[in-house]
Amino acid sequence: MRGFRCWIGVGIAATGLSVGSLAAGEMNGMSSDPRLGEAASIEAVARAFLPEAQWQHQDAEALQAEVRQRLDDGDGSSIFHPDADTGPLRKALLAVMVKESRLPHTRYRLRYARASVAPQGQAPIPVELVEVARFNLGPARREGLIAQHGESRVAPAEDFGDGKHIAWRLVTRPVMGQVADITHAARREIPLEGAFCLNAPCSTADSLNEQARDWPAPSPLEPASSSLPLEVALLEVGLERLGLVQRDDSGPARWHPPEWPESVPPGASFMEVLVERGLGQDDGVDLVIYLDQLMDDDIKALWQRLMAVDTGAGESPRVWETQDGEPWPRPDW
């Protein structure tokens, strides 16, 4: 994997990682809330996951309409909505990219959790919870270059992107003709300091994905063409490689939720995705999916990495992939 790392200009010093279980806490992970285990309605889930004192609630119906508009290919041949088979992770990332300004040097951190609503006398309703945090790393990259070369030799601040660090949270549920219907959405600004991405500081201006594992050598991949932002298209490919998006001959790719680990309480994240743009080669996108707490005797977690570089208008991006498994720790007997 080391051969892929080729920086344009002068890079900023890398920071090593030691990744174990995902960190806990408000900025370090989506932690469990006892109210989620007792929720009898979607509204109760939203009150616990999106407390109004901390989050600015958004119009979920309007947000979903914007996502559908972006996904609509204009074909008009289907009786279903364009997002009928789109899962919560892809939908959440696309929603954030639709609503927020595009920045040249960013890190998106997605976290995924489960809950269940148990209305009295009815079968439990599965609920999926997603948080997307977007960190603007343009200023940090510029500061690093200034420290090395002096301000006169570095591009002005506006070239590195001006934008707040923000987070969105979405509550989704399956309904007829929709695998992830958005019922509630909220947004807020967040601090960069103290935030962790795969157990490393999110403020690190160099790539964290490169150092998350001692990655096996990557292989070239030819994904299907997509009109969506490269970050979103790459996320779907990664989820498909893990079996969380499945295709058949008669229809589009469809979301298949991961198995909810018995050891993970409602609201606690057991999957994290990092999507980095402009932190490595050219204007490339680097994506890592970390699926933890597998219901498997040997493998504790799966790591999937996809790297893509745009090759110009009208051309498909060049994509490489690599995957690794993390075994359960064994006693030293």
Side-chain angles (χ1 to χ4, degrees):
M1 189 54 252
R2 306 304 172 196
F4 182 80
R5 191 177 182 191
C6 176
W7 305 104
I8 300 299
V10 180
I12 300 172
T15 300
L17 302 186
S18 175
V19 179
S21 60
L22 296 181
E26 176 60 26
M27 284 307 303
N28 301 340
M30 284 162 46
S31 55
S32 178
D33 186 318
R35 294 174 296 174
L36 291 173
E38 304 166 354
S41 67
I42 293 289
E43 288 69 27
V45 170
R47 285 194 296 270
F49 189 56
L50 312 170
E52 291 188 358
Q54 301 171 31
W55 294 84
Q56 295 83 49
H57 283 231
Q58 308 293 310
D59 186 333
E61 186 175 346
L63 179 64
Q64 188 151 258
E66 290 188 66
V67 169
R68 287 172 178 167
Q69 184 178 22
R70 186 63 181 83
L71 289 169
D72 191 355
D73 59 8
D75 181 289
S77 62
S78 175
I79 63 172
F80 298 105
H81 289 301
D83 63 336
D85 297 309
T86 302
L89 286 164
R90 183 169 172 244
K91 185 174 284 190
L93 180 58
L94 181 57
V96 172
M97 298 193 74
V98 165
K99 299 297 291 185
E100 304 291 343
S101 59
R102 302 290 291 272
L103 298 170
H105 307 285
T106 54
R107 175 173 291 123
Y108 295 92
R109 184 194 66 196
L110 290 75
R111 284 179 171 159
Y112 172 90
R114 295 283 292 275
S116 180
V117 170
Q120 187 173 5
Q122 300 181 34
I125 302 171
V127 179
E128 295 174 286
L129 311 173
V130 179
E131 179 185 271
V132 183
R134 187 207 65 186
F135 302 100
N136 177 17
L137 298 180
R141 289 182 67 82
R142 184 172 186 268
E143 289 174 8
L145 292 172
I146 289 174
Q148 294 183 41
H149 305 290
E151 189 167 7
S152 63
R153 300 184 62 187
V154 177
E158 54 266 27
D159 288 0
F160 288 81
D162 181 21
K164 301 289 187 180
H165 313 298
I166 55 91
W168 283 73
R169 283 188 172 184
L170 270 61
V171 178
T172 74
R173 64 176 178 185
V175 295
M176 183 70 70
Q178 192 90 46
V179 296
D181 177 56
I182 301 174
T183 65
H184 297 80
R187 178 193 187 275
R188 71 175 183 179
E189 294 182 8
I190 56 175
L192 178 60
E193 298 305 319
F196 282 82
C197 295
L198 293 177
N199 273 3
C202 297
S203 58
T204 304
D206 212 357
S207 174
L208 298 179
N209 291 353
E210 166 71 19
Q211 303 160 70
R213 303 287 292 169
D214 185 12
W215 295 102
S219 303
L221 183 67
E222 294 186 11
S225 61
S226 174
S227 62
L228 296 174
L230 185 54
E231 292 89 339
V232 179
L234 214 60
L235 175 60
E236 180 175 14
V237 174
L239 294 171
E240 185 174 356
R241 303 298 283 181
L242 290 174
L244 302 179
V245 168
Q246 298 179 14
R247 299 178 184 269
D248 56 43
D249 296 334
S250 60
R254 184 176 179 84
W255 168 249
H256 285 258
E259 189 173 13
W260 187 356
E262 296 176 354
S263 59
V264 177
S269 172
F270 60 92
M271 177 160 49
E272 180 166 332
V273 182
L274 282 193
V275 189
E276 301 177 335
R277 176 180 278 277
L279 304 186
Q281 181 173 328
D282 298 329
D283 187 32
V285 174
D286 192 332
L287 176 144
V288 164
I289 302 174
Y290 174 59
L291 180 58
D292 196 15
Q293 301 298 312
L294 298 179
M295 305 279 281
D296 186 275
D297 292 337
D298 300 313
I299 302 299
K300 173 184 177 292
L302 288 176
W303 294 79
Q304 176 74 40
R305 187 183 184 195
L306 292 163
M307 301 149 284
V309 177
D310 263 322
T311 54
E315 299 289 335
S316 298
R318 298 174 62 192
V319 180
W320 294 264
E321 74 159 340
T322 182
Q323 188 179 92
D324 198 14
E326 179 181 336
W328 287 101
R330 301 296 184 187
D332 295 327
W333 290 339

